[in-house]
């Protein structure tokens, strides 16, 4: 009974999460709606394949057609075609090998002992990719029933038909395109970096050295690398989704260009710089820190630089990926902000040379941060 009571909150959270996903899919375009559409398309492909193979033609292994059709409604049209060819090659190979060995041995168990190790090894062949397991599946379909040449040929034909249905449904009914998701991923990573840098700047200005808050900011900065990696993956998905995609000519979209790769590179620098800044804040906030913390002459200047960095990071996606193309106004504003960043760094460097920091260890730490910051500024203005 106690275990059931403990499970109730988890069930409620699951129901709320499902409800939220359904609401988002209904209200606006996004990942949730894309997933819902793909699920409906997969079901439609299976129904069409079964209606033709099972209900109309009454093929002996009709379930093979909807089974292949549903798994080939992939996340991109290109992937549907590539995986379809690999899957058909695997199924045909397993079916042919199993049929030949079974007819020669006239013993399903003996044939299974010889065929399955061979086709499982074949399934690891690089050219079959993730579809290699279907070689063993095709062999099992043969070896667990009556073995005839006609039956094996029917299985291969049903698999071919199911693949054609799955690919056709995925290509002709709202073919998936992920350009929107790519922009969202880039903007999300940039927004998170901006919020972290603004939070660090606020703490430096207020001279707040709370170790727990600094640790939370550093954890967020470390997670920023994962957001950047997701953005990089999204760029690849967008390019793949436009390959062999039969969009009408008027709706045809260009694949992500070099500017998207440049944006990911910039975000890499942003993640490195942000992590370095939050690590410095975390070390300075330690209660057992032996050396004195940086004074206002350094922290206020560096906080100004961080705010300019956050503003530049916010402007960067706007200047590169606005709906109408590159935003000239945002690009001009970005360059002005980067110029302010450089001037702030020059002033801070002059203060350091003037002896504001006499501790060599502290000077080395801030010198590293300044170097990272200058590289970030260079990336933002040149990319």
């Amino acid at each position: 009974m106690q275990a059931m009571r403990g499970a109730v909150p988890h069930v409620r959270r699951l129901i709320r999460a499902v409800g939220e996903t359904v609401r988002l899919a209904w209200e606006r375009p996004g990942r949730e709606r894309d997933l819902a559409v793909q699920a409906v398309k997969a079901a439609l492909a299976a129904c069409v394949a079964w209606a033709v193979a099972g209900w109309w033609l009454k093929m002996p292994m009709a379930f093979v057609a909807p089974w292949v059709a549903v798994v080939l409604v992939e996340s991109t049209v290109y992937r549907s075609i590539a995986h379809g060819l690999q899957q058909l090659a695997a199924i045909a190979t397993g079916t042919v090998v199993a049929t030949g060995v079974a007819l020669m041995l006239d013993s399903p168990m003996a044939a299974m002992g010889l065929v399955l190790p061979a086709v499982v090894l074949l399934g690891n062949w690089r050219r079959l990719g993730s579809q290699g397991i279907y070689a063993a599946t095709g062999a099992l379909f043969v070896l667990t029933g009556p073995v005839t040449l006609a039956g094996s040929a029917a299985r291969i034909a049903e698999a071919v038909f199911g693949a054609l249905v799955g690919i056709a449904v995925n290509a002709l009914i709202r073919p998936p395109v992920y350009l929107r998701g790519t922009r969202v991923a880039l903007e999300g990573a940039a927004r998170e970096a901006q919020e972290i840098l603004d939070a660090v700047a606020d703490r430096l200005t207020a001279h707040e050295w709370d170790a727990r808050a600094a640790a939370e900011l550093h954890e967020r900065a470390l997670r920023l690398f994962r957001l950047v990696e997701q953005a990089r993956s999204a760029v690849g998905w967008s390019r793949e989704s436009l390959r062999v995609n039969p969009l009408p000519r008027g709706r045809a979209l260009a694949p992500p260009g070099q500017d998207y790769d440049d944006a990911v590179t910039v975000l890499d620098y942003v993640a490195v710089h942000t992590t370095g800044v939050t690590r410095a804040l975390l070390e300075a906030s330690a209660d057992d820190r032996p050396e004195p913390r940086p004074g206002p002459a350094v922290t206020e200047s560096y906080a100004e630089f961080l705010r300019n960095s956050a503003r530049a990071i916010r402007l960067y996606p706007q200047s590169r990926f606005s709906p109408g193309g590159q935003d000239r106004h945002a690009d001009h504003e970005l360059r002005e902000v980067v110029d302010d960043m450089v001037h702030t760094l020059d002033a801070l460097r002059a203060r350091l040379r003037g002896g504001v920091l006499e501790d060599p260890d502290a000077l080395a730490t801030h010198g590293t941060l300044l170097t990272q910051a200058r590289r970030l500024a260079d990336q933002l203005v040149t990319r």
Side-chain angles (χ1 to χ4, degrees), residues 298-320:
V298 172
T299 56
E300 291 179 5
S301 295
Y302 204 80
E304 181 183 353
F305 167 79
L306 293 180
R307 288 197 180 91
N308 283 330
S309 297
R311 186 181 172 199
I313 293 166
R314 176 180 59 83
L315 289 169
Y316 186 83
Q318 297 177 18
S319 71
R320 295 296 184 269

Side-chain angles (χ1 to χ4, degrees), residues 198-210 213-214 217 281:
D198 276 334
V200 175
D202 291 341
R203 293 195 169 279
L204 290 177
T205 302
H207 303 291
E208 294 180 1
W209 306 101
D210 185 339
L217 286 174
L281 179 66

Side-chain angles (χ1 to χ4, degrees), residues 47-360:
C47 291
V48 171
W50 174 256
V52 175
W55 178 70
W56 183 30
L57 298 178
K58 299 188 184 304
M59 292 181 171
M61 295 282 287
F63 72 89
V64 173
W67 169 58
V68 173
V70 75
V71 299
L72 286 183
V73 180
E74 293 268 10
S75 49
T76 67
V77 176
Y78 171 80
R79 190 158 295 203
S80 288
I81 296 173
H83 284 180
L85 293 173
Q86 291 175 328
Q87 188 176 131
L88 289 176
I91 291 175
T93 301
T95 301
V96 169
V97 171
T99 301
V101 174
L103 290 176
M104 284 190 299
L105 296 180
D106 196 26
S107 170
M109 287 301 297
M112 195 173 293
L114 290 175
V115 170
L116 287 182
V119 293
V120 169
L121 287 174
L122 178 65
N124 291 297
W125 187 28
R126 180 176 58 86
R127 291 194 178 268
L128 293 179
S130 61
Q131 307 303 303
I133 186 62
Y134 292 106
T137 304
L140 281 172
F141 284 160
V142 172
L143 298 173
T144 54
V147 181
T148 63
L149 290 176
S152 297
R155 289 184 184 91
I156 295 175
E158 290 155 6
V160 171
F161 176 71
L164 292 175
V165 171
I167 293 170
V169 168
N170 202 29
L172 300 179
I173 301 178
R174 200 177 181 267
V177 176
Y178 297 101
L179 283 178
R180 180 184 62 250
T182 301
R183 288 191 291 267
V184 169
L186 291 168
E187 291 168 357
R191 182 169 56 253
E192 177 67 4
Q194 172 206 342
E195 292 175 359
I196 294 171
L197 292 177
D198 276 334
V200 175
D202 291 341
R203 293 195 169 279
L204 290 177
T205 302
H207 303 291
E208 294 180 1
W209 306 101
D210 185 339
R212 177 175 296 181
E216 291 175 356
L217 286 174
H218 187 55
E219 287 294 326
R220 288 179 64 183
L222 292 174
R223 289 194 295 269
L224 186 59
F225 287 101
R226 186 173 61 202
L227 296 179
V228 174
E229 190 57 37
Q230 290 173 358
R232 180 179 286 107
S233 177
V235 172
W237 276 102
S238 292
R239 287 178 176 143
E240 183 180 298
S241 70
L242 293 173
R243 297 177 67 180
V244 297
N245 194 325
L247 284 169
R249 187 175 298 275
R251 292 177 53 211
L253 300 169
Q258 184 61 38
D259 52 346
Y260 282 82
D261 294 318
D262 292 342
V264 173
T265 301
V266 169
L267 289 174
D268 268 329
Y269 276 95
V270 168
V272 170
H273 171 67
T274 304
T275 304
V277 169
T278 56
R279 183 182 294 112
L281 179 66
L282 179 60
E283 292 172 352
S285 301
D287 295 331
D288 57 349
R289 177 181 173 87
E291 61 271 2
R293 296 187 174 103
V298 172
T299 56
E300 291 179 5
S301 295
Y302 204 80
E304 181 183 353
F305 167 79
L306 293 180
R307 288 197 180 91
N308 283 330
S309 297
R311 186 181 172 199
I313 293 166
R314 176 180 59 83
L315 289 169
Y316 186 83
Q318 297 177 18
S319 71
R320 295 296 184 269
F321 308 115
S322 60
Q326 185 166 340
D327 188 330
R328 294 179 179 273
H329 175 73
D331 189 61
H332 178 70
E333 188 176 356
L334 172 63
R335 292 179 181 275
E336 289 183 345
V337 173
V338 172
D339 288 340
D340 291 341
M341 292 167 60
V342 173
H343 293 326
T344 303
L345 286 176
D346 291 339
L348 183 55
R349 186 177 289 108
R351 286 194 182 95
L352 292 174
R353 283 198 302 264
V356 172
L357 292 176
E358 297 180 356
D359 182 4

